[in-house]
Amino acid sequence: GEDVEQSLFLSVREGDSSVINCTYTDSSSTYLYWYKQEPGAGLQLLTYIFSNMDMKQDQRLTVLLNKKDKHLSLRIADTQTGDSAIYFCAESISQAGTALIFGKGTTLSVSS
Amino acid sequence: DAGVIQSPRHEVTEMGQEVTLRCKPISGHNSLFWYRQTMMRGLELLIYFNNNVPIDDSGMPEDRFSAKMPNASFSTLKIQPSEPRDSAVYFCATQDRQNQPQHFGDGTRLSIL
């Protein structure tokens, strides 16, 4: 079945790098996404990667995809207090009109 | 681009009352999704539409829940009668085509007393 797993919490110090990990089970995933949710707000798309790519970099964000192990990670360089939020990993699978399958989210806490 | 617009942002009502949540999708987006978010269960898909047609409503918890999309620019999620366990944040998201990112509204925080 479809399932996306994430660790629930991550705590880092300001200026350090953060790495948020995600595993998924459906090998037919076509795109994998990272969303950010700040308190009281909706989910904001951060970045996404097509399943035939290994890496995508966008400013402070680096996404790594290991398709063999079905493992996705999001690295945030030079983490700032404003990065404190819940980060959701999601996959879309290759069926017409299928919605995204979300993980339960990782709460990132950044201390100064 | 106005983004996905949901209303109301907050709703507090007594159990047994009818609740209607509204969503205006991004213009041109053909798919619309309703999600519910709670601490215990995380983000759950309730129902989604393609070109105004309901495709999968298997996530709708009970017959008390119904959703409509009468046209491409409007959708409603209705709960009748409401119960305290329906308290959650309800999100609407839209997508312009398959496998493209979904764009979320800011949600409706629903509290049933």
Side-chain angles (χ1 to χ4, degrees):
Chain A
E2 306 144 357
D3 200 9
V4 176
E5 300 279 346
Q6 300 178 239
S7 53
L8 291 181
F9 299 102
L10 177 65
S11 182
V12 300
R13 295 182 68 87
E14 192 174 23
D16 289 348
S17 290
S18 307
V19 179
I20 302 171
N21 294 302
C22 170
T23 57
Y24 59 97
T25 56
D26 198 310
S27 58
S28 65
S29 293
T30 52
Y31 285 89
L32 294 126
Y33 303 84
W34 285 104
Y35 283 84
K36 175 184 180 183
Q37 185 180 29
E38 296 182 353
L43 277 70
Q44 171 197 357
L45 177 69
L46 279 181
T47 186
Y48 63 107
I49 187 169
F50 188 48
S51 59
N52 69 354
M53 297 171 64
D54 298 324
M55 185 181 91
K56 181 178 179 181
Q57 187 151 5
D58 183 1
Q59 299 182 340
R60 293 190 297 121
L61 305 179
T62 303
V63 178
L64 295 178
L65 176 60
N66 182 328
K67 200 170 181 181
K68 173 175 167 291
D69 294 338
K70 300 191 185 70
H71 181 265
L72 182 74
S73 68
L74 174 70
R75 179 177 180 270
I76 306 172
D78 187 25
T79 313
Q80 304 297 307
T81 54
D83 295 324
S84 295
I86 304 175
Y87 290 81
F88 291 91
C89 168
E91 62 172 342
S92 103
I93 58 177
S94 56
Q95 296 172 19
T98 301
L100 300 183
I101 311 298
F102 283 87
K104 290 203 169 7
T106 299
T107 298
L108 174 65
S109 174
V110 183
S111 57
S112 57
Chain B
D1 187 346
V4 177
I5 299 173
Q6 291 187 245
S7 63
R9 287 298 313 278
H10 303 274
E11 173 95 11
V12 180
T13 192
E14 293 185 345
M15 65 178 292
Q17 298 297 307
E18 178 179 289
V19 172
T20 300
L21 311 181
R22 297 174 176 80
C23 177
K24 178 177 168 53
I26 295 172
S27 177
H29 281 201
N30 297 322
S31 297
L32 183 143
F33 306 82
W34 281 102
Y35 292 90
R36 178 172 68 175
Q37 186 179 35
T38 60
M39 289 290 290
M40 291 298 293
R41 301 174 67 94
L43 202 61
E44 302 172 277
L45 175 67
L46 301 177
I47 185 172
Y48 74 94
F49 297 82
N50 276 351
N51 297 315
N52 312 338
V53 175
I55 302 300
D56 183 356
D57 65 354
S58 60
M60 296 285 262
E62 297 170 38
D63 291 345
R64 299 184 295 106
F65 285 69
S66 62
K68 293 182 181 178
M69 193 163 184
N71 57 61
S73 56
F74 185 64
S75 177
T76 59
L77 177 68
K78 189 171 290 188
I79 309 172
Q80 167 63 19
S82 58
E83 296 183 5
R85 60 195 168 114
D86 302 330
S87 298
V89 182
Y90 290 80
F91 288 104
C92 175
T94 69
Q95 180 186 48
D96 66 354
R97 58 186 186 278
Q98 184 184 347
N99 291 325
Q100 290 302 298
Q102 292 181 17
H103 298 265
F104 282 74
D106 285 334
T108 295
R109 186 172 295 275
L110 178 63
S111 297
I112 308 297
L113 307 178

